[in-house]
Amino acid sequence: MKKQIIIAGVPRSGKSTVSQKISQNLGYQHISMDSIIAGIEGAFPETGINSDADADLWQNIRSISSKMARFIRAMTDSGEYDECGYGMVIDIFQLLPEHYVRHIDSSVCEIYYFGTADVTPQERYELLKAYDTPKDYTYHQSEAENREDCARIVAVSKKLKEQCELYNLPYYDTSRNREQVFKSVFGF
């Protein structure tokens, strides 16, 4: 594995889980871009980054992705981890394949995409409810909100999978057998 790894994909697809496992097993620093994005939204509204915008979800993701890809490129180009014996693993929702390919140097930073394109919104909702815990943001949402989110996330997953195929980037569906998917990709 390279010293810089990005785990990208839709919410509740296992990004944070696998990023934390990589961090623990390889001694890499784990960086949650969702937290950084929330900080940018709150402190610098002039950036136009608003993950809760009342816009088409895909277009909002594209807008945030184009900005965050350049931000991640600056992080990976900084040389911050060059002298260290460890690397970093970044997990992020809003980074599309089109922006990864355009802005990030794949010779030093590899990426893995996770989604849930291979289920219906109803199946995704049932999986969500089966594994929901008080630690998950979805646990505190209403049934209607979760059903709506599941439909949007399945749609985004399908577009994400299409882009991964277009740009020849790895896409893994974690709708079922998530732990087996992680083991087959990362060995743990």
Side-chain angles (χ1 to χ4, degrees):
M1 286 195 158
K2 296 179 182 170
K3 285 182 74 173
Q4 299 170 355
I5 301 166
I6 299 172
I7 305 298
V10 299
R12 303 293 310 275
S13 63
K15 297 182 312 295
S16 295
T17 300
V18 78
S19 296
Q20 290 167 1
K21 285 183 180 184
I22 291 169
S23 176
Q24 291 166 355
N25 288 331
L26 300 179
Y28 282 22
Q29 182 167 352
H30 174 226
I31 300 169
S32 171
M33 290 305 293
D34 290 340
S35 297
I36 293 171
I37 290 169
I40 291 170
E41 285 179 288
F44 306 106
E46 65 273 14
T47 63
I49 293 176
N50 181 356
S51 55
D52 293 325
D54 289 333
D56 172 78
L57 179 60
W58 183 254
Q59 290 307 315
N60 196 34
I61 293 168
R62 286 190 80 225
S63 173
I64 295 170
S65 173
S66 68
K67 295 170 184 159
M68 294 315 297
R70 291 175 285 184
F71 182 87
I72 292 170
R73 175 66 187 249
M75 287 174 59
T76 59
D77 285 352
S78 73
E80 182 71 23
Y81 294 90
D82 291 349
E83 67 281 350
C84 300
Y86 59 88
M88 71 174 153
V89 59
I90 298 168
D91 75 74
I92 184 170
F93 168 36
Q94 299 101 332
L95 180 62
L96 297 177
E98 65 183 288
H99 298 125
Y100 170 80
V101 168
R102 187 176 306 140
H103 297 291
I104 298 174
D105 184 357
S106 63
S107 71
V108 297
C109 186
E110 63 189 296
I111 194 162
Y112 300 88
Y113 281 94
F114 294 96
T116 55
D118 296 342
V119 292
T120 66
Q122 178 61 32
E123 289 171 316
R124 189 174 201 291
Y125 176 77
E126 290 167 10
L127 287 166
L128 173 81
K129 294 316 292 174
Y131 296 102
D132 223 9
T133 71
K135 296 185 316 183
D136 300 310
Y137 75 92
T138 50
Y139 185 85
H140 306 284
Q141 293 187 155
S142 70
E143 180 180 340
E145 288 172 311
N146 280 330
R147 286 186 179 281
E148 184 179 318
D149 280 354
C150 286
R152 291 189 313 191
I153 294 305
V154 168
V156 167
S157 291
K158 290 178 183 202
K159 288 181 179 184
L160 189 63
K161 183 177 180 180
E162 288 172 8
Q163 276 203 2
C164 285
E165 291 169 355
L166 178 67
Y167 293 105
N168 198 29
L169 295 173
Y171 173 90
Y172 301 94
D173 196 282
T174 57
S175 303
R176 297 178 182 86
N177 303 317
R178 178 182 296 187
E179 292 301 319
Q180 289 176 338
V181 171
F182 295 158
K183 189 169 184 144
S184 72
V185 176
F186 301 107
F188 47 79

